[in-house]
């Protein structure tokens, strides 16, 4: 689909089911396919699988405490502006662009406790949010979850993490960042190119 859409109700993804967000864009275009999930009663629930593909933007602003499934980013962009947007499930980075932080001109790290799997090269980015257009300062910080088994980041190959900066803000504090807090362990025989 193309256009700008806003979901403000809960989206339930049952165990064994897959919900795919996709579009038919040939390349990235910030205003052509934009889906905003926002509101006190919005977000995800259930134990199913969510996949983001296509070139558009998925902006997650609502908490999803009842979602225990997996979220896979294959392509396109995902903006995370709520630390609980992915619930307690696993985030798999298999391509695409991911960004997070607060909306507007202030800046802070968005602390995620989700299990993280890196399975392909991906990009950390900042970008625009829904109208009114504002920059999303990107600093994703993966912190210890309290479950040691979820805190390992397994690297079975060498992956490249690049970044994209919209350049609309004059200070380097808004450059995209990805950090791993104490308790997050990189394991495996692979590595990261930054």
């Amino acid at each position: 689909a193309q256009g700008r859409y806003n979901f403000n109700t809960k989206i339930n993804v049952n165990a064994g089911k897959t919900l795919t967000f996709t579009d038919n864009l040939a390349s990235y275009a910030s205003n052509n396919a934009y889906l905003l999930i926002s509101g006190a009663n919005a977000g995800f629930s259930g134990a199913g699988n969510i996949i983001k593909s296509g070139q558009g933007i998925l902006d997650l602003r609502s908490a999803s405490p009842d979602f225990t499934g997996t979220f896979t980013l294959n392509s396109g962009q995902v903006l995370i502006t709520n630390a609980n947007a992915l619930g307690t499930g696993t985030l798999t980075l298999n391509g695409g662009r991911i960004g997070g932080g607060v909306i507007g001109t202030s800046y802070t790290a968005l602390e995620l406790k989700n299990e993280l799997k890196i399975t392909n090269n991906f990009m950390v980015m900042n970008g625009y949010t829904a109208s009114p257009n504002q920059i999303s300062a990107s600093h994703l910080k993966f912190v210890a979850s309290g479950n040691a088994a979820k805190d390992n980041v397994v690297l079975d190959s060498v992956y490249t993490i690049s970044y994209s900066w919209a350049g609309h803000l004059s200070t380097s504090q808004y450059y995209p960042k990805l950090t791993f807090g104490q308790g997050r362990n990189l394991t495996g025989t692979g590595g990261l190119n930054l």
Side-chain angles (χ1 to χ4, degrees):
Q2 292 191 25
R4 298 171 77 88
Y5 302 94
N6 182 8
F7 278 86
N8 56 14
T9 59
K10 188 70 70 179
I11 300 171
N12 185 37
V13 186
N14 293 324
K17 301 294 183 183
T18 299
L19 173 63
T20 301
F21 292 101
T22 191
D23 55 69
N24 58 2
L25 299 178
S27 63
Y28 163 71
S30 63
N31 291 318
N32 291 343
Y34 191 107
L35 177 60
L36 172 65
I37 297 179
S38 177
N41 297 316
F44 303 110
S45 62
N49 303 305
I50 299 173
I51 297 173
K52 170 65 182 84
S53 61
Q55 298 300 317
I57 298 173
L58 178 60
D59 186 346
L60 304 176
R61 298 190 192 179
S62 297
S64 298
D66 299 324
F67 181 68
T68 59
T70 61
F71 187 101
T72 301
L73 172 58
N74 287 331
S75 59
Q77 293 191 77
V78 172
L79 292 175
I80 301 173
T81 52
N82 185 308
N84 297 309
L86 303 177
T88 59
T90 299
L91 170 61
T92 300
L93 297 175
N94 190 44
R97 304 172 180 208
I98 190 165
V102 295
I103 300 170
T105 57
S106 59
Y107 182 76
T108 186
L110 185 70
E111 296 188 346
L112 300 175
K113 296 183 178 180
N114 300 83
E115 180 179 16
L116 174 64
K117 294 183 178 179
I118 299 173
T119 58
N120 205 345
N121 303 334
F122 67 95
M123 184 177 286
V124 179
M125 45 70 69
N126 60 15
Y128 287 110
T129 61
S131 183
N133 286 339
Q134 294 177 301
I135 205 76
S136 172
S138 293
H139 184 175
L140 295 176
K141 182 175 183 180
F142 287 90
V143 298
S145 66
N147 179 345
K150 289 176 57 176
D151 289 340
N152 287 329
V153 179
V154 179
L155 301 170
D156 59 3
S157 186
V158 176
Y159 301 111
T160 299
I161 301 174
S162 56
Y163 80 94
S164 171
W165 180 51
H168 295 80
L169 302 173
S170 60
T171 176
S172 64
Q173 77 181 42
Y174 295 99
Y175 289 165
K177 297 178 185 177
L178 176 70
T179 59
F180 296 95
Q182 184 176 0
R184 285 288 181 151
N185 304 306
L186 300 177
T187 64
T189 59
L192 293 175
N193 291 322
L194 306 174

